[in-house]
């Protein structure tokens, strides 16, 4: 005989297990061929993607899917020592304290109907997560609590002037600011400065880890999807329709590098020997030689009359899907794509 107490406990356990299962990521047999969106490298490799998929392993061969308490699409992942954070749709943030083996949900706000698109931690306690429509949250306790911030300083001057004109109406000011903030697509941290790339020509830098921002003046209003600082101190941004812009560290003048590519460029990855790799849609993979970016030389024009800058080469591969991000390991690119994990030889 099972006592009523035991029966109640058993029913409670079954209900709890059912709820947990309903909210857990799907263990997909073909997970390595699913939509994967970001990759990070620490002591192990971490990859995130659709339906709450997270894979981890020390090599490409032993990558395995781990259980995650969400089915929402995860867009970005970052590592600091043994701590990892992943962010995604439903304004979700997940944390792992064991380098990605087990995960807990720190934040989820499906009512916002906005995804986080990137996350970065400069130490085990201090991090920011950014996303669509100006989504910006900060933690100073490792993600135990997250605080919302709105940053008008990333806006063009005309928008800032408009907001200044309505500051005497605080509620209206906050509503308008929330409405006009652009998507924040990517973060990059270098030499004590936090850089951000986003929608509507947004490139900005912060010297106080995102509490205040200086927007760069650039003659381009399309979206940027990544910004990186190169080894020689230049800033490098990529975005829509094959656009690449380069500036010196003072960022007073941004020059466009001709790529003769019309598809979106998604991510920038540092390789070896002063080489940078740029990944894009339709299987586009470019290499850029940092030592040649200042040279005013171009390859002969192609059949469409477009001449590629001498620093840029288009690398051949068999992919036709979007390449979202990647890591250079030895002489190959380990890429996450719309059709899963791909290895691309770089030599």
């Amino acid at each position: 005989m099972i006592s009523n107490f035991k029966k109640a406990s058993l029913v409670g356990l079954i209900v709890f297990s059912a709820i947990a299962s309903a909210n857990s990521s799907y263990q997909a047999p073909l997970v390595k061929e699913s939509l994967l969106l970001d990759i990070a490298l620490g002591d192990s490799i971490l990859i995130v993607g659709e339906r709450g998929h997270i894979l981890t392993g020390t090599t490409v061969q032993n990558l395995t899917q781990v259980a995650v308490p969400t089915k929402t699409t995860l867009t970005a992942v970052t590592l600091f020592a043994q701590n990892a954070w992943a962010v995604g749709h439903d304004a979700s943030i997940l944390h792992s304290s064991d380098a990605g083996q087990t995960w807990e949900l720190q934040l989820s706000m499906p009512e916002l109907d906005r995804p986080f698109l990137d996350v970065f931690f400069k130490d085990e306690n201090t991090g920011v997560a950014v996303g669509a429509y100006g989504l910006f949250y900060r933690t100073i306790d490792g993600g135990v609590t997250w605080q919302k911030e709105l940053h008008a300083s990333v806006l063009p001057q005309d928008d800032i002037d408009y907001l200044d004109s309505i500051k005497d109406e605080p509620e209206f000011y906050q509503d308008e600011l929330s409405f006009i903030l652009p998507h924040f697509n990517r973060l990059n941290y270098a030499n004590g400065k936090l850089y951000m790339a986003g929608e509507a020509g947004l490139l900005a830098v912060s010297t106080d880890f995102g509490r205040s921002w200086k927007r760069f003046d650039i003659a381009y209003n399309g979206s940027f999807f990544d910004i990186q600082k190169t080894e020689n101190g230049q800033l490098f941004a990529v975005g829509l329709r094959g656009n690449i812009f380069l500036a010196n560290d003072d960022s007073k003048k941004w020059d466009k590098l001709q790529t003769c590519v019309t598809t979106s460029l998604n991510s920038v990855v540092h390789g070896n020997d002063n080489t940078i790799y740029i990944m894009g849609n339709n299987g586009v993979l470019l290499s850029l030689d940092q030592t040649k970016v200042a040279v005013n030389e171009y390859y002969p024009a192609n059949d469409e009359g477009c001449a590629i800058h001498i620093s840029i080469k288009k690398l051949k591969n068999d992919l036709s899907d979007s390449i979202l991000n990647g890591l250079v390991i030895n002489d190959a690119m380990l890429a996450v794509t719309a059709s899963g994990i791909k290895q691309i030889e770089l030599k």
Side-chain angles (χ1 to χ4, degrees):
M1 294 286 292
I2 301 177
S3 69
N4 289 335
F5 175 79
K6 287 185 177 180
K7 286 181 179 178
S9 299
L10 182 58
V11 169
L13 179 61
I14 292 172
V15 171
F16 176 81
S17 298
I19 293 172
S21 177
N23 293 328
S24 297
S25 58
Y26 172 64
Q27 297 296 299
L30 300 178
V31 65
K32 294 182 181 180
E33 300 174 23
S34 65
L35 170 62
L36 300 172
L37 294 166
D38 199 21
I39 184 170
L41 179 65
D43 293 336
S44 59
I45 301 167
L46 270 179
I47 296 174
V48 300
E50 66 175 345
R51 303 176 71 182
H53 293 162
I54 295 183
L55 298 93
T56 185
T58 54
T59 67
V60 179
Q61 291 71 28
N62 67 14
L63 284 170
T64 56
Q65 186 182 2
V66 297
V68 177
T70 183
K71 288 182 179 178
T72 193
T73 293
L74 300 174
T75 57
V77 63
T78 191
L79 280 158
F80 188 89
Q82 293 299 301
N83 287 284
W85 288 266
V87 299
H89 290 205
D90 290 344
S92 298
I93 302 177
L94 295 94
H95 172 248
S96 170
S97 59
D98 54 10
Q101 295 298 318
T102 59
W103 294 83
E104 62 175 346
L105 192 64
Q106 288 189 331
L107 188 68
S108 179
M109 299 175 289
E111 68 279 5
L112 294 183
D113 196 26
R114 299 179 181 184
F116 281 115
L117 299 173
D118 204 7
V119 59
F120 178 79
F121 274 71
K122 70 174 184 177
D123 57 47
E124 62 184 8
N125 293 312
T126 312
V128 291
V130 300
Y133 304 103
L135 199 63
F136 193 111
Y137 276 71
R138 178 187 305 276
T139 181
I140 57 173
D141 55 15
V144 176
T145 59
W146 291 87
Q147 301 299 321
K148 177 183 177 180
E149 297 179 3
L150 294 174
H151 291 283
S153 56
V154 304
L155 293 169
Q157 190 59 48
D158 287 348
D159 287 336
I160 293 175
D161 291 342
Y162 164 67
L163 289 168
D164 286 342
S165 73
I166 60 171
K167 273 190 172 180
D168 292 339
E169 304 174 67
E171 187 174 344
F172 182 50
Y173 174 92
Q174 292 293 322
D175 288 343
E176 287 292 275
L177 177 54
S178 297
F179 178 76
I180 64 178
L181 281 171
H183 300 332
F184 299 153
N185 294 326
R186 189 68 62 88
L187 299 167
N188 179 254
Y189 189 72
N191 300 327
K193 295 180 180 180
L194 185 64
Y195 297 92
M196 184 160 62
E199 186 186 26
L202 171 60
L203 296 175
V205 62
S206 173
T207 56
D208 55 8
F209 201 64
R211 295 192 180 277
S212 63
W213 292 90
K214 175 187 175 184
R215 183 183 175 111
F216 294 133
D217 184 14
I218 183 168
Y220 177 68
N221 292 320
S223 292
F224 286 105
F225 299 122
D226 202 355
I227 181 171
Q228 297 278 340
K229 192 163 189 177
T230 66
E231 293 177 1
N232 59 8
Q234 292 174 307
L235 287 174
F236 185 72
V238 303
L240 284 175
R241 298 189 60 78
N243 275 290
I244 296 178
F245 284 85
L246 194 73
N248 292 324
D249 191 33
D250 60 12
S251 311
K252 293 181 179 179
K253 184 175 182 293
W254 289 81
D255 295 314
K256 181 178 177 179
L257 296 181
Q258 184 58 262
T259 66
C260 297
V261 170
T262 58
T263 191
S264 293
L265 302 176
N266 301 316
S267 295
V268 178
V269 174
H270 291 268
N272 304 317
D273 303 324
N274 291 310
T275 301
I276 289 174
Y277 297 96
I278 306 106
M279 289 146 284
N281 293 348
N282 302 328
V284 167
L285 179 61
L286 306 176
S287 68
L288 182 139
D289 186 341
Q290 296 181 59
T291 65
K292 296 181 179 179
V293 293
V295 178
N296 188 26
E297 293 184 25
Y298 297 83
Y299 290 108
N302 59 21
D303 293 341
E304 288 77 35
C306 184
I308 302 177
H309 191 270
I310 194 72
S311 64
I312 297 171
K313 291 182 180 179
K314 188 173 181 179
L315 304 182
K316 293 181 179 180
N317 63 74
D318 297 328
L319 299 181
S320 59
D321 295 308
S322 297
I323 308 175
L324 286 313
N325 213 334
L327 296 170
V328 176
I329 301 177
N330 298 323
D331 294 326
M333 173 75 70
L334 179 61
V336 289
T337 78
S339 59
I341 303 167
K342 307 293 181 182
Q343 284 188 279
I344 307 170
E345 295 299 321
L346 299 175
K347 287 189 176 181

